[in-house]
Amino acid sequence: AQSVTQPDIHITVSEGASLELRCNYSYGATPYLFWYVQSPGQGLQLLLKYFSGDTLVQGIKGFEAEFKRSQSSFNLRKPSVHWSDAAEYFCAVGASGGSYIPTFGRGTSLIVHP
Amino acid sequence: EPEVTQTPSHQVTQMGQEVILRCVPISNHLYFYWYRQILGQKVEFLVSFYNNEISEKSEIFDDQFSVERPDGSNFTLKIRSTKLEDSAMYFCASSESWPNYGYTFGSGTRLTVV
């Protein structure tokens, strides 16, 4: 079965600073990988996804993520964080060889200081 | 942009009572899902539903849970006899076709069992 780990429960950055949120997955074959964001009082919004092809994936709101098979990672990045990016971020992995139902990580809470 | 709508946003119920959580998926979506998130923990898959039947369910989705699509628009999750540990945020999601394209989530129903 697939699993996903987000090692950072909280991340604090200053507005304008760069951001990297870590995600590591465990799955034997090629995974499908997702990043979702949850703003306070909102549902989960899909930021980006990786299925195949270019390992650097561009998403909405200026986010990108890079799939590194050798490291079993799919880290989310943004070059310059805005105060409105403060939210909960979830990484998810879906198994390409069986159930496609994504398994979610615990989430990372992003705090942005002015 | 089309939305998944969940009602109510917050429900408080007494232990042992039945609750029904309601969802209106996006109108042209064919696959429907329920997830839950216990405070501070992972987002966990409960059940997926397609063509008027359950297509997949997790170990969490035991006999106290049931889902239904009573008409052409609503998708409900019923918890027959609530327990304290059922307190969580419940998310409904839908997807247009094959699930790996990424879901659209609702904003959730916070269920508090007292």
Side-chain angles (χ1 to χ4, degrees):
Chain A
Q2 68 267 31
S3 67
V4 59
T5 302
Q6 293 180 248
D8 303 305
I9 298 175
H10 302 284
I11 290 278
T12 301
V13 299
S14 298
E15 191 170 14
S18 64
L19 170 70
E20 182 168 31
L21 302 183
R22 296 184 290 166
C23 173
N24 294 98
Y25 68 90
S26 173
Y27 182 62
T30 301
Y32 293 147
L33 295 159
F34 308 85
W35 273 100
Y36 285 85
V37 61
Q38 183 185 23
S39 298
Q42 304 296 312
L44 294 157
Q45 181 183 22
L46 180 66
L47 282 176
L48 47 78
K49 58 184 181 283
Y50 171 79
F51 295 151
S52 65
D54 193 345
T55 56
L56 185 62
V57 180
Q58 301 298 318
I60 62 171
K61 304 186 180 189
F63 286 92
E64 66 177 26
E66 186 171 12
F67 170 55
K68 293 186 177 180
R69 184 187 300 276
S70 62
Q71 298 177 18
S72 297
S73 69
F74 188 58
N75 294 348
L76 182 71
R77 300 194 294 248
K78 186 169 185 178
S80 178
V81 169
H82 188 262
W83 64 266
S84 60
D85 293 324
E88 192 85 14
Y89 291 80
F90 295 93
C91 181
V93 58
S96 60
S99 167
Y100 291 89
I101 302 295
T103 297
F104 281 80
R106 189 182 299 271
T108 297
S109 178
L110 175 63
I111 301 164
V112 180
H113 281 316
Chain B
E1 187 171 332
E3 291 183 343
V4 173
T5 305
Q6 289 187 245
T7 55
S9 57
H10 191 188
Q11 180 153 1
V12 181
T13 188
Q14 289 199 326
M15 191 168 53
Q17 295 296 304
E18 174 183 287
V19 295
I20 297 176
L21 308 183
R22 302 181 191 280
C23 170
V24 179
I26 294 174
S27 60
N28 64 335
H29 284 190
L30 302 176
Y31 295 79
F32 314 114
Y33 314 86
W34 284 101
Y35 282 76
R36 79 173 185 189
Q37 183 184 25
I38 296 173
L39 188 63
Q41 298 188 25
K42 294 183 179 185
V43 176
E44 301 172 294
F45 167 72
L46 293 178
V47 65
S48 62
F49 191 86
Y50 170 70
N51 200 25
N52 285 319
E53 62 183 22
I54 291 173
S55 50
E56 193 165 343
K57 62 182 181 180
S58 71
E59 295 175 349
I60 303 168
F61 195 86
D62 61 21
D63 291 343
Q64 70 162 153
F65 291 95
S66 62
V67 289
E68 193 177 38
R69 188 157 164 80
D71 52 42
S73 60
N74 289 284
F75 179 52
T76 62
L77 174 69
K78 182 190 291 186
I79 308 174
R80 255 181 282 281
S81 178
T82 51
K83 301 181 283 222
L84 295 176
E85 53 264 38
D86 294 327
S87 295
M89 181 73 89
Y90 288 82
F91 292 105
C92 174
S94 66
S95 62
E96 185 175 356
S97 56
W98 195 242
N100 58 11
Y101 290 163
Y103 304 161
T104 300
F105 280 86
S107 55
T109 293
R110 179 164 296 285
L111 176 65
T112 303
V113 182
V114 297

